[in-house]
Amino acid sequence: MRADLARPFAALLLTLVFATGTTHAQEPATPPATAGTDVPVDAAAAESADTAPAPGAESAARDLVESRRLARRLQDTSGLSDVSVTVHDGVAALQGVVLAPEDRERAEQVAAQHPGIERVDNGVTLSTRFTDRVATASDLAVDKVTRLLAALPLLLVAIVVVAPAWAFGKWLGRRLGSRIARRNWQAENPFFANLVQQLVQWLVLLGGVLIALDLLGATALVGAVMGSAGVLGLALGFAFKDIAENYVAGVLLSIRRPFAPGESLRIDDTHEGKVAALTSRATVLVTHDGNRLTLPNALVFKSVVLNFSSNPKRRLEFTIPLDVEESIRRVQELALGAIRSIDGVATDPGPSWTVDAYDASGITLRFYAWVDQRQSDIGKVRSEAIHAVRTCLAGAGVRTPRNIQYTTELVEGPPAPTSSAPIADAGGDAADTSVNHDLDEHLAAEQRAHAHETLLPEEATGAAPPPR
């Protein structure tokens, strides 16, 4: 019995002794363990390898930290309390609702300025709730009224500065405009005087406005307004180039005054009539058949303008054909005598003549005479001169070329005198060579219609005299 119990205890004792001996036998070959632990080095390294964080986990932790920091900055910014943010690899994704577009832009700016943020995806939207919109509008109105009340004293001072500047500019412009116009041109130019007046007035007003804005602390607004005005002026200049060109041409025509109201013009060899008015955009003529002709000022300024009324005396001319066997000297004396007898032909300089053509078919004589347009109409005088010469030559038996036959009222009557004495018309009535006033009513009507916008003075410097 005792032997059976001793055997297990002996086996247990031998097992413990064997295990202990084995351990002590392996200790010299094992490297020293890490201080403070009984775990071998290979086991510690394996454990550290199993517990080290992955690279993605480190980036996620960094993004989490940046998200919290940026979220705190957005929370501390006014109007961005409902905005949330998520940062991932340098990209900030914003979400939430704001009340105003400025708040949405501000949220994007705050996120873009945060260190480490390379790009911002702005998903913030505007609130569409009625109560939020009403509250925003009310706050904006209250803010503007508050600012206006705060700036009211300075605004009154600015008004006090601008009002005298306007009045002073108007007075100074009126004085300088009239004085400059009279000194540079012998007669006062109302349009140029008004132009100078407006320019000086607006320059003085601009100075007053700049001072007022400086008092209000809005000098930055001046630069913005001037820049916008420059761009706007350039755009308008291209858009209204023709209008601006006509306006400038009207200014130059009113200053140079190549014509006056009532004078007879021929423009560019195609347009002819009497001057009714010169407006800021067009020159208005009355044609010889009583129609209104409106020409752009730029066209008139660039074209060749023939002024028939600038000189009181104007020369007329006409031709007379003769047979080759006729005496040129005899015909010349008869024709000049007939021309001198016409009422309206000037004596100084007197009528003249020249041979215009001479060939086998005949002779052509050209006659000239001068007319005072203030006393006679050149068209009437020319007609009467041709009629008188034709009648005189026919009565003297002067032959025309073979293919031309004269017919006169004196063929059936008594022989016409061969001298240069005045020859009366067949009907016995005196010839009418007075100034033609057929267009006077049309001209006066057009002048009255454009009286408020004409740039020419009322006095006509070469026009025909009024009806007598």
Side-chain angles (χ1 to χ4, degrees), residues 7-332:
R7 289 174 183 171
F9 284 104
L12 179 61
L13 179 61
L14 290 175
T15 303
L16 291 175
V17 172
F18 180 78
T20 304
T22 304
T23 304
H24 287 290
Q26 292 179 354
E27 283 181 10
T30 304
T34 305
T37 180
D38 294 335
V39 182
V41 174
D42 294 338
E47 181 180 357
S48 63
D50 293 338
T51 60
E58 182 180 357
S59 176
R62 185 171 59 253
D63 290 343
L64 180 59
V65 172
E66 296 300 332
S67 298
R68 291 175 179 176
R69 291 178 180 176
L70 183 54
R72 284 195 297 268
R73 290 188 61 183
L74 293 173
Q75 293 294 325
D76 295 338
T77 304
S78 176
L80 305 181
S81 59
D82 294 334
V83 177
S84 60
V85 61
T86 302
V87 178
H88 180 69
D89 293 338
V91 179
L94 302 179
Q95 298 293 331
V97 179
V98 294
L99 298 179
E102 295 81 5
D103 296 335
R104 186 176 184 274
E105 297 177 0
R106 191 183 304 112
E108 184 173 351
Q109 292 175 358
V110 171
Q113 294 172 0
H114 188 76
I117 301 300
E118 299 177 358
R119 184 167 57 88
V120 178
D121 291 338
N122 196 348
V124 178
T125 59
L126 298 179
S127 176
T128 57
R129 290 183 296 181
F130 178 74
T131 55
D132 293 341
R133 307 311 301 172
V134 171
T136 302
S138 301
D139 294 341
L140 182 61
V142 171
D143 181 65
K144 290 185 177 296
V145 172
T146 303
R147 291 184 180 182
L148 180 61
L149 294 177
L152 189 58
L154 292 178
L155 184 60
L156 294 177
V157 174
I159 294 175
V160 171
V161 171
V162 172
W166 172 263
F168 177 72
K170 190 173 183 179
W171 173 83
L172 182 62
R174 189 184 302 111
R175 294 291 300 274
L176 291 179
S178 59
R179 184 170 300 179
I180 292 175
R182 283 195 297 266
R183 285 188 177 182
N184 288 277
W185 294 271
Q186 275 66 25
E188 183 179 0
N189 190 324
F191 176 71
F192 186 73
N194 182 67
L195 184 64
V196 173
Q197 174 185 347
Q198 294 294 330
L199 180 61
V200 173
Q201 180 177 347
W202 283 106
L203 287 177
V204 175
L205 177 63
L206 179 60
V209 171
L210 292 178
I211 295 175
L213 291 176
D214 184 65
L215 292 176
L216 294 174
T219 52
L221 179 63
V222 178
V225 171
M226 296 299 290
S228 301
V231 175
L232 181 61
L234 184 63
L236 292 177
F238 281 106
F240 301 100
K241 182 179 71 69
D242 293 338
I243 296 178
E245 184 181 15
N246 289 327
Y247 180 81
V248 174
V251 173
L252 296 178
L253 288 174
S254 70
I255 294 174
R256 298 176 60 180
R257 296 186 187 177
F259 46 79
E263 291 185 340
S264 182
L265 306 180
R266 179 184 294 164
I267 299 174
D268 205 20
D269 288 335
T270 55
H271 310 291
E272 189 169 344
K274 289 190 174 183
V275 179
L278 171 65
T279 67
S280 59
R281 295 189 61 249
T283 301
V284 181
L285 303 180
V286 176
T287 61
H288 295 305
D289 52 0
N291 295 323
R292 176 196 295 176
L293 177 62
T294 303
L295 301 175
N297 287 333
L299 173 65
V300 178
F301 186 77
K302 297 176 183 178
S303 300
V304 177
V305 178
L306 178 59
N307 192 333
F308 296 108
S309 305
S310 58
N311 296 319
K313 289 186 178 181
R314 183 177 172 186
R315 193 182 72 171
L316 62 86
E317 61 181 74
F318 59 91
T319 59
I320 294 294
L322 302 174
D323 189 81
V324 293
E325 297 180 358
E326 291 293 337
S327 171
I328 296 177
R329 182 66 60 186
R330 175 171 174 264
V331 172
Q332 167 251 327

Side-chain angles (χ1 to χ4, degrees), residues 414-428:
T418 58
S419 64
S420 60
I423 302 176
D425 191 68

Side-chain angles (χ1 to χ4, degrees), residues 392-411:
C392 178
L393 296 181
V398 176
R399 292 170 297 175
T400 60
R402 309 240 187 260
N403 58 345
I404 300 177
Q405 296 294 330
Y406 282 135
T407 58
T408 67
E409 299 86 348
L410 299 180
V411 173

